């Protein structure tokens, strides 16, 4: 992989793939006949990455020799050799490349730098004296998974597990860890207590495992929540500072687990171009559980700052997307979560193990000797095995009780089976864990006393961990492995057991609540650990399972474990992350650039006859938090003008050189309530009704507009409003809108889909209508009712009313318009082709614009205007005046617009045909304020010039 830009990365990988094809005699990818050409789709890019990884793996495997004492997992290897240092990497690179006839520098250049950021480093540091440290390998799922990853030039960043307050100790530890490619983050004791023991272990971990938040005194809990969350954010900022210090452009930063949920945002705030991925190693709970967390919104938005978010299973990914949708009000898509055009990819990446490590270990003499001892020790008895941390989520009491029930119901097995339970102590200072330990010991003692003899006991329980080789030997002699987790992110014990069962082909009983159940479920016996009777029955089935069934089940699991390794897991994640960056760049090219406000203001000040077309909703209204603010529904159902806009808007309206039109889909009464005090033009219901604030409403509707469909569509909308809580519909003169913005998101989407099917097969099947789908609304309107179709008629009436003689030489069009209404942006484009395609059913067509930079009276077509010399009024618009054809002809000829003087701008809608983008209505406030200041400055300049003359 390349360490430069994604485009270069693609080219580099193509060259390597071509080398792979040439080396291995391949004909090229079956997915793309041009194997050396640039991949055209995301799938092609990922397939080429996959082929490249296979090719590199074949090179690596070709350089491997039989297991020797140089193996980092051999008994003679030191802890320092498990993570290859720079010198040994060069030697390996030189040996492998020389054997394959390639240059060493090419092999090394193919490696991408990977910064793995986790709460703990893969080594634990023990201080010997002031300037000396002893480093030991840490034990944990992440360390185990990444031990064998050699695809990348990896650096680890994390806490070393020790408090180092003095400068000398920090410097010496940094130097010692550098030899292991590790970079420490120094956390003081108070931060560790509040961040790690407090927020991570006391709040996030129980919540993510469905244990709920701690039930304490409310006031005390509120205080501890806030102080622990503040420490959590501070610790994440300290991690970010270390990452930024060591980051090199092109690096991939991979953040791990719930300890660092705030880190992606910290990193992106400092460098928006940084490639950031985040992976959760625990379950992610359902949105109903996650929404109980006080800091739920901040954590979700922080994680969404990452480019790629990964989980062990599809269920966890689905829960995360659902939480973002329900709690943040964002749009969930099959690819991830979208927020104002920015897509965060969310996907499942089931973790694996370094299976070769376990398979090779079984051939070691010391492991073989230990296997022989165990077989002799338990001769004539079936061996069942459990390997767990002594933790609430591991289901140890449920496991042992199920074994007791099995012995009760099957007395013939009492002296023929033994359960070996390895329970690794954890958090021994926490009262809940101490109570759990006592409970397990009590149950084990009762069962052994009930079913044991003077020479044998049914349960061998160990409150300690085993070394790697002893564990491999134990896996190899086991007949049935029993995993009864009540909730587990993945559970790699099941993978390790399968990897060591090539000869025994034992049976795996696996909890359906472990993430591994989605990977190994077809070969394992899945159980509900809460159902003791079911687990006991499964034990009997496993012990009596025929050999051929055991072999089939084992084969299925063994193939999965050996193919979905930790190396493949890491390589797939980083490959997806690299490709996500490519996709984001492609998407960014389609997003309009930010509005150059200073340029727009400068052009405004130099023009003589300006037209400002402004949308209303989400453009001139105050931003409202969709779900997070109480009463937001009422506020949005009754939109109000942004209070900071009243003064600048009034000053702009008083400028005789400036004409302002508020063009909205809202009802006339809404615009009257908000803009009655301003001297401007109001265009309601997508421009179908028009008035100057000093005049009466008039209609601009086409004469043949058919509204006979309204009643039948209204009945459908009423029905779905009754069926969908918190939805509502609006009846307007020219359209009907059903809005489900405040309904349950997923239920609202299902109802909208059902509603559309009812519409298309019923009321509108033969009608000349448009159905416009918003993010959470469905609108039905007559064909031709769009802002772009109405603007020419509106412009003509304005010219006629004002007696406008000076041509319009500046247009600013700003709005948060639906895609259907964005034809208004293209209406003013001076450089459009001379022929503009129009909707087939539309009887009112905007005049055709010339392709030159200025548009004059002679160049504009009058054919449509001549065909439509008058318009009739429908609905309760008896006070409305009819726009005449003369107004239209004047409106069609008044533009003399240079391309540099036209600014179309979308507000908070990145997928737009507008030229520019503004993030929110607050940016609109700043823009109009600057326009006002520019006008005042011009007036002062003109006054000074007059006094001087």
């Amino acid at each position: 992989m390349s360490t430069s830009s994604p485009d270069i990365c693609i080219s580099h990988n193509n060259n390597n793939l071509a080398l792979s094809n040439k080396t291995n005699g391949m004909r090229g990818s079956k997915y793309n006949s041009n194997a050396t050409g640039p991949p055209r789709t995301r799938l092609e890019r990922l397939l080429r990455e996959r082929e490249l990884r296979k090719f590199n793996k074949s090179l690596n495997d070709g350089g491997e020799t039989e297991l020797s004492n140089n193996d980092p997992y051999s008994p003679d290897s030191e802890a320092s050799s498990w993570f290859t240092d720079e010198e040994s990497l060069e030697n390996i690179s030189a040996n492998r490349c020389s054997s394959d006839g390639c240059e060493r520098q090419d092999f090394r250049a193919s490696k991408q730098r990977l910064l793995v950021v986790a709460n703990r480093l893969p080594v634990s540091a023990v201080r010997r004296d002031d300037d000396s440290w002893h480093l030991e390998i840490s034990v944990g799922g992440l360390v185990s998974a990444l031990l064998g990853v050699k695809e990348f030039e990896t650096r680890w960043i994390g806490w070393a597990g020790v408090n180092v307050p003095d400068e000398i100790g920090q410097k010496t530890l940094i130097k010692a860890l550098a030899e292991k490619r590790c970079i420490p983050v120094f956390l003081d004791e108070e931060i560790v207590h509040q961040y790690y023991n407090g927020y991570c272990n006391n709040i996030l971990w129980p919540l993510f495992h469905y244990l709920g938040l701690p039930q304490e005194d409310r006031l005390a809990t509120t205080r501890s929540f806030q102080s622990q969350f503040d420490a959590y954010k501070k610790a994440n900022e300290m991690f970010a500072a270390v990452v930024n210090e060591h980051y090199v452009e092109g690096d991939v930063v991979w953040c791990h687990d719930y300890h660092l949920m705030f880190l992606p945002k910290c990193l992106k705030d400092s460098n928006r171009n940084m490639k950031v991925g985040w992976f959760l190693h625990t379950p992610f709970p359902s949105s109903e559980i996650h929404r109980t967390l006080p800091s739920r919104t901040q954590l979700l938005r922080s994680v969404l700052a990452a480019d790629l978010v990964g989980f062990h299973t599809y269920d966890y990914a689905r829960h995360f997307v659902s939480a973002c949708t329900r709690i943040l009000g964002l749009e969930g898509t099959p690819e991830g979560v979208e927020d104002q055009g920015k897509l965060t990819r969310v996907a499942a990446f089931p973790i694996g193990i370094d299976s070769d490590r376990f398979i090779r270990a079984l051939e070691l003499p010391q492991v073989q000797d230990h296997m022989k001892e165990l077989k002799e020790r338990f001769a004539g008895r079936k061996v069942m095995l459990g390997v767990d941390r002594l933790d609430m989520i591991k289901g140890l009491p449920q496991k042992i009780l199920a074994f007791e029930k099995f012995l009760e119901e099957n007395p013939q097995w009492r002296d023929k089976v033994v359960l070996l339970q390895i329970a690794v102590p954890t958090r021994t200072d926490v009262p809940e864990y101490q109570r759990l330990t006592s409970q397990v010991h009590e149950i084990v003692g009762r069962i052994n006393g009930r079913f044991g003899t003077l020479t044998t006991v049914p349960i061998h329980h160990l409150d300690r961990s085993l070394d790697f080789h002893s564990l491999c030997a134990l896996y190899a002699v086991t007949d049935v492995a029993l995993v009864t987790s009540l909730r587990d992110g993945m559970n790699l014990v099941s993978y390790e057991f399968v990897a060591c069962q090539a000869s025994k082909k034992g049976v795996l009983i696996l909890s359906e609540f472990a993430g591994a159940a989605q990977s190994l479920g077809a070969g394992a016996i899945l159980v509900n650990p809460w159902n003791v009777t079911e687990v006991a029955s499964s034990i009997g089935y496993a012990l009596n399972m025929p050999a051929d069934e055991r072999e089939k089940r084992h084969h299925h699991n063994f193939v999965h474990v050996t193919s979905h390794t930790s190396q493949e897991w890491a390589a797939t994640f980083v490959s997806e992350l690299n490709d996500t960056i490519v996709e984001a760049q492609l998407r960014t090219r389609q997003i309009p650039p930010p509005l150059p406000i200073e340029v727009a203001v400068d052009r405004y000040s130099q023009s003589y006859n300006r037209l400002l077309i402004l949308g209303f909703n989400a453009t001139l209204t105050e931003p409202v938090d969709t779900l997070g603010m109480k009463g937001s529904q009422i506020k949005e159902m009754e939109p109000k003008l942004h209070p900071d806009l009243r003064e600048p808007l009034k000053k702009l309206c008083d400028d005789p050189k400036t004409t302002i039109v508020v063009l909205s889909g809202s009802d006339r009464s809404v615009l009257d309530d908000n803009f009655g005090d301003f001297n401007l033009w109001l265009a309601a219901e997508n421009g179908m009704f028009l008035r100057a604030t000093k005049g009466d409403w008039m209609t601009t509707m086409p004469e043949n507009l058919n509204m006979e469909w309204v009643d039948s569509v209204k009945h459908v909308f009423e029905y779905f409003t009754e069926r969908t809580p918190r939805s509502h519909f609006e009846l307007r003169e020219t359209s009907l809108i059903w809005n489900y913005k405040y309904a349950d998101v997923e239920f609202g989407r299902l109802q909208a889909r059902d509603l559309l099917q009812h519409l298309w097969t019923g009321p509108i099947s033969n009608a000349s209508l448009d159905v416009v789908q918003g993010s959470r609304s469905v609108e039905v309107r007559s064909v031709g009712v769009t802002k772009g179709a109405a603007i020419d008629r509106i412009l003509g009436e304005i010219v006629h009313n004002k007696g406008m003689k000076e041509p319009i030489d500046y247009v600013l069009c700003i709005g948060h318009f639906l895609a259907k209404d964005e034809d208004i942006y293209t209406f003013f484009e001076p450089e459009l082709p001379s022929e503009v395609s129009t909707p087939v059913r539309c009887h009112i067509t905007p005049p055709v614009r010339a392709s030159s930079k200025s548009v004059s009276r002679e160049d504009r077509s009058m054919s449509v205007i001549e065909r439509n010399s008058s318009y009739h009024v429908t609905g309760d618009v008896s006070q409305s005046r009819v726009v005449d054809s003369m107004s239209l002809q004047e409106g069609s000829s008044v533009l003399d617009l240079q391309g540099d003087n036209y600014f179309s701008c979308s507000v908070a809608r990145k997928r737009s045909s507008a030229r520019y983008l503004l993030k929110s209505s607050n940016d609109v406030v700043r823009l109009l304020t600057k326009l006002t200041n520019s006008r005042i400055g011009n007036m002062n300049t003109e006054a000074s010039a007059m006094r001087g003359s």
Side-chain angles (χ1 to χ4, degrees):
M1 280 182 242
S2 169
T3 57
S4 55
S5 69
D7 291 335
I8 297 176
C9 175
I10 293 174
S11 173
H12 177 74
N13 288 342
N14 291 342
N15 293 336
N16 278 326
L17 182 60
L19 174 63
S20 172
N21 294 343
K22 181 178 179 180
T23 304
N24 297 312
M26 296 170 61
R27 296 181 180 178
S29 172
K30 65 180 179 181
Y31 304 99
N32 182 1
S33 58
N34 183 9
T36 58
R40 295 165 295 183
T41 66
R42 176 175 175 272
L43 179 60
E44 288 182 0
R45 289 195 298 271
L46 293 176
L47 287 172
R48 291 197 172 193
E49 280 285 340
R50 184 168 176 269
E51 292 298 321
L52 177 62
R53 290 200 303 272
K54 286 184 177 180
F55 170 64
N56 286 337
K57 188 175 186 300
S58 67
L59 283 181
N60 296 345
D61 292 343
E64 296 283 357
T65 59
E66 61 182 19
L67 191 68
S68 67
N69 288 338
N70 292 327
D71 186 275
Y73 311 114
S74 68
D76 297 328
S77 67
E78 297 182 0
S80 60
S81 67
W82 78 275
F83 219 42
T84 313
D85 58 23
E86 291 286 351
E87 183 179 358
S88 60
L89 177 67
E90 291 182 4
N91 294 335
I92 294 172
S93 176
N95 293 336
R96 290 177 180 171
C97 287
S98 61
S99 64
D100 287 282
C102 64
E103 296 181 4
R104 181 175 66 183
Q105 62 183 25
D106 291 337
F107 179 82
R108 289 179 55 81
S110 68
K111 291 202 172 187
Q112 185 173 22
R113 259 192 30 141
L114 176 65
L115 302 183
V116 177
V117 190
N119 175 64
R120 288 294 300 269
L121 288 173
V123 293
S124 294
V126 179
R127 194 165 190 171
R128 289 174 173 168
D129 48 51
D130 289 344
D131 58 355
S132 177
W133 293 87
H134 174 67
L135 304 180
E136 294 180 350
I137 299 177
S138 299
V139 178
L142 175 59
V143 178
S144 174
L146 290 177
L147 269 176
V149 175
K150 303 178 181 69
E151 297 283 330
F152 313 101
E153 187 181 330
T154 309
R155 297 286 187 277
W156 284 71
I157 297 176
W159 179 48
V162 61
N163 181 34
V164 190
D166 60 297
E167 186 176 349
I168 295 178
Q170 291 184 4
K171 287 183 178 180
T172 54
L173 181 57
I174 290 174
K175 182 178 180 181
L177 289 173
E179 298 177 2
K180 309 296 177 287
R181 297 189 183 183
C182 293
I183 303 165
V185 177
F186 295 105
L187 305 176
D188 60 51
E189 290 183 351
E190 179 61 22
I191 287 288
V192 171
H193 176 68
Q194 292 271 29
Y195 145 73
Y196 181 69
N197 298 327
Y199 198 78
C200 291
N201 289 341
N202 194 42
I203 296 176
L204 289 183
W205 190 90
L207 188 78
F208 282 12
H209 289 85
Y210 291 80
L211 299 179
L213 295 173
Q215 302 296 316
E216 303 171 6
D217 176 74
R218 291 184 178 179
L219 184 60
T221 300
T222 303
R223 284 202 301 263
S224 64
F225 272 158
Q226 191 57 49
S227 62
Q228 290 174 12
F229 184 59
D230 291 342
Y232 182 85
K233 290 193 292 185
K234 182 177 179 180
N236 276 249
E237 290 167 355
M238 295 170 71
F239 275 86
V242 176
V243 173
N244 290 327
E245 181 182 349
H246 294 85
Y247 174 80
V248 178
E249 185 177 355
D251 287 355
V252 170
V253 181
W254 193 359
C255 312
H256 288 271
D257 230 357
Y258 58 93
H259 311 89
L260 302 176
M261 294 181 73
F262 212 74
L263 183 57
K265 181 179 184 300
C266 297
L267 295 175
K268 285 291 188 176
D269 286 346
S270 61
N271 186 348
R272 52 180 287 187
N273 296 321
M274 188 181 294
K275 299 178 184 179
V276 179
W278 181 80
F279 191 90
L280 182 66
H281 293 265
T282 69
F284 192 90
S286 71
S287 60
E288 292 304 307
I289 297 292
H290 187 77
R291 73 189 311 152
T292 63
L293 186 64
S295 52
R296 60 191 187 183
T297 300
Q298 292 168 280
L299 290 180
L300 288 176
R301 288 204 175 275
S302 298
V303 171
L304 287 175
D307 300 293
L308 177 63
V309 176
F311 299 91
H312 283 311
T313 72
Y314 171 74
D315 280 349
Y316 306 157
R318 178 171 54 85
H319 290 161
F320 177 79
V321 173
S322 177
C324 293
T325 302
R326 293 174 180 272
I327 297 173
L328 302 181
L330 302 179
E331 189 72 17
T333 71
E335 294 183 328
V337 179
E338 187 170 348
D339 183 11
Q340 296 186 4
K342 193 264 184 184
L343 177 67
T344 299
R345 286 190 60 82
V346 180
F349 302 90
I351 199 172
I353 61 172
D354 185 6
S355 55
D356 288 343
R357 176 192 179 197
F358 290 85
I359 295 172
R360 292 197 305 266
L362 296 179
E363 301 174 2
L364 295 173
Q366 63 267 41
V367 176
Q368 291 285 336
D369 292 342
H370 199 180
M371 288 170 58
K372 183 179 179 181
E373 292 174 7
L374 290 171
K375 288 177 182 179
E376 293 174 354
R377 173 71 177 80
F378 299 112
R381 304 173 74 183
K382 294 283 189 179
V383 177
M384 297 180 58
L385 176 65
V387 180
D388 307 275
R389 283 185 296 109
L390 194 53
D391 206 314
M392 274 84 71
I393 66 166
K394 296 299 182 179
L396 263 68
Q398 288 80 1
K399 178 192 299 187
I400 299 171
L401 289 173
F403 184 62
E404 180 183 29
K405 187 171 182 61
F406 168 75
L407 295 179
E408 284 179 352
E409 297 177 347
N410 300 273
Q412 72 277 13
W413 278 100
R414 291 176 184 175
D415 58 349
K416 296 180 180 178
V417 64
V418 60
L419 172 62
L420 308 181
Q421 178 60 55
I422 311 300
V424 182
T426 178
R427 302 184 70 183
T428 54
D429 57 335
V430 178
E432 290 84 352
Y433 286 77
Q434 293 172 353
R435 287 194 293 270
L436 175 64
T437 302
S438 299
Q439 180 188 9
V440 171
H441 288 176
E442 179 184 344
I443 299 173
V444 170
R446 188 186 73 241
I447 296 174
N448 283 341
R450 181 181 176 188
F451 299 108
T453 67
L454 291 175
T455 57
T456 61
V457 290
I459 301 178
H460 289 243
H461 182 89
L462 295 181
D463 278 335
R464 64 180 180 85
S465 60
L466 297 180
D467 65 79
F468 174 69
H469 298 112
S470 297
L471 189 60
C472 289
L474 196 54
Y475 281 142
V477 301
T478 297
D479 296 282
V480 177
L482 193 52
V483 177
T484 56
S485 303
L486 305 181
R487 191 72 61 174
D488 220 342
M490 195 62 178
N491 193 287
L492 296 179
V493 167
S494 55
Y495 277 63
E496 295 170 357
F497 167 73
V498 170
C500 295
Q501 283 286 312
S503 60
K504 192 84 172 181
K505 296 178 175 54
V507 181
L508 173 64
I509 299 177
L510 180 61
S511 167
E512 62 187 56
F513 299 114
Q518 295 197 18
S519 303
L520 305 179
I525 300 176
L526 296 185
V527 295
N528 176 2
W530 295 100
N531 189 338
V532 173
T533 302
E534 178 191 358
V535 178
S537 175
S538 298
I539 291 174
Y541 182 73
L543 291 173
N544 293 291
M545 184 178 292
D548 59 339
E549 183 179 352
R550 286 206 321 270
E551 186 167 349
K552 289 178 182 178
R553 286 177 177 268
H554 168 74
H555 176 74
H556 182 280
N557 287 342
F558 189 77
V559 169
H560 180 88
V561 169
T562 53
S563 59
H564 294 76
T565 62
S566 58
Q567 296 95 321
E568 188 65 24
W569 167 73
T572 301
F573 186 93
V574 177
S575 175
E576 288 266 3
L577 178 55
N578 281 322
D579 190 76
T580 298
I581 302 299
V582 176
E583 284 287 305
Q585 290 180 344
L586 295 175
R587 290 167 61 89
T588 302
R589 295 172 189 170
Q590 302 170 1
I591 297 176
L595 175 69
I597 292 181
E598 298 301 329
V599 175
V601 172
D602 181 62
R603 293 288 180 178
Y604 173 89
S605 62
Q606 296 179 21
S607 56
Y608 299 97
N609 190 10
R610 308 131 178 169
L611 174 65
L612 272 58
I613 302 174
L614 307 175
F616 180 46
N617 287 303
T619 303
L620 302 180
T621 57
E622 189 172 11
V624 179
D625 185 0
T626 306
L627 298 176
M629 184 184 297
K630 291 184 178 180
S632 62
Q633 180 172 352
I634 301 300
K635 291 184 178 182
E636 290 201 10
M637 291 177 65
E638 300 175 0
K640 299 295 183 182
L641 178 66
H642 198 302
D644 295 339
L645 272 173
R646 301 194 71 85
E647 183 177 349
L649 192 59
K650 188 171 181 59
K651 291 179 180 179
L652 289 174
C653 290
D654 294 338
D655 183 3
K657 293 183 179 181
T658 302
T659 302
I660 298 180
V661 180
V662 176
L663 178 56
S664 173
S666 299
D667 188 77
R668 286 169 288 169
S669 61
V670 174
L671 299 187
D672 284 337
D673 292 342
N674 284 279
F675 300 97
D677 298 335
F678 295 89
N679 180 24
L680 45 71
W681 288 79
L682 301 177
E685 297 197 27
N686 299 306
M688 294 298 104
F689 295 95
L690 178 69
R691 84 172 179 102
T693 48
K694 296 180 180 179
D696 298 325
W697 283 102
M698 67 193 78
T699 181
T700 64
M701 288 189 292
E703 62 179 12
N704 55 355
L705 195 65
N706 180 11
M707 301 296 292
E708 296 177 356
W709 52 269
V710 171
D711 287 340
S712 57
V713 173
K714 178 183 174 184
H715 291 320
V716 175
F717 279 14
E718 286 176 340
Y719 173 70
F720 278 90
T721 299
E722 293 172 0
R723 289 181 57 195
T724 313
R726 294 194 294 175
S727 68
H728 65 279
F729 79 92
E730 301 173 47
L731 176 61
R732 298 174 180 171
E733 296 288 347
T734 57
S735 65
L736 275 83
I737 301 177
W738 182 66
N739 192 307
Y740 58 96
K741 185 172 186 177
Y742 304 101
D744 179 90
V745 177
E746 295 180 7
F747 183 62
R749 286 176 184 163
L750 293 174
Q751 292 293 80
R753 190 183 311 163
D754 198 12
L755 180 145
L756 290 171
Q757 291 177 348
H758 277 73
L759 289 177
W760 286 118
T761 58
I764 67 173
S765 56
N766 297 313
S768 184
L769 300 172
D770 279 330
V771 178
V772 184
Q773 289 185 259
S775 60
R776 295 180 196 173
S777 65
V778 177
E779 180 179 3
V780 179
R781 59 169 80 156
S782 296
V783 169
V785 179
T786 68
K787 294 177 174 66
I791 189 61
D792 195 50
R793 300 189 290 271
I794 294 170
L795 192 56
E797 174 58 26
I798 293 174
V799 172
H800 176 74
N801 181 279
K802 296 183 69 171
M804 192 179 291
K805 303 301 181 183
E806 190 80 27
I808 294 174
D809 59 350
Y810 179 93
V811 173
L812 176 64
C813 182
I814 304 176
H816 180 79
F817 300 134
L818 296 173
K820 185 72 177 178
D821 293 319
E822 287 202 341
D823 52 358
I824 189 173
Y825 295 141
T826 57
F827 178 88
F828 291 100
E829 285 288 354
E831 297 181 357
L832 281 179
S834 58
E835 296 294 333
V836 180
S837 60
T838 58
V840 177
R841 298 177 181 174
C842 185
H843 299 288
I844 302 299
T845 309
V848 178
R849 256 77 62 203
S851 58
S852 61
K853 284 192 175 181
S854 62
V855 185
S856 61
R857 179 189 302 266
E858 293 75 18
D859 292 330
R860 301 175 71 90
S861 169
M862 296 295 109
S863 58
V864 175
I865 300 170
E866 293 166 358
R867 285 202 306 271
N868 300 279
S869 58
S870 64
Y871 301 85
H872 78 288
V873 180
T874 61
D876 185 18
V877 290
S878 57
Q879 299 300 319
S880 301
R881 184 172 61 81
V882 178
V883 179
D884 57 36
S885 60
M886 189 61 194
S887 298
L888 286 174
Q889 293 179 19
E890 294 185 20
S892 303
S893 59
V894 74
L895 290 176
D896 187 15
L897 187 62
Q898 300 295 319
D900 293 340
N901 275 14
Y902 174 50
F903 298 88
S904 60
C905 192
S906 172
V907 180
R909 191 180 293 276
K910 293 188 176 181
R911 294 181 182 178
S912 173
S913 58
R915 288 185 171 190
Y916 304 106
L917 175 69
L918 287 175
K919 290 183 179 180
S920 70
S921 58
N922 290 329
D923 291 332
V924 178
V925 172
R926 285 191 285 271
L927 171 62
L928 297 188
T929 301
K930 285 182 176 288
L931 293 180
T932 302
N933 296 336
S934 170
R935 170 182 173 270
I936 295 174
N938 288 342
M939 291 174 60
N940 293 337
T941 302
E942 292 174 2
S944 300
M946 292 178 64
R947 287 195 297 269
S949 63

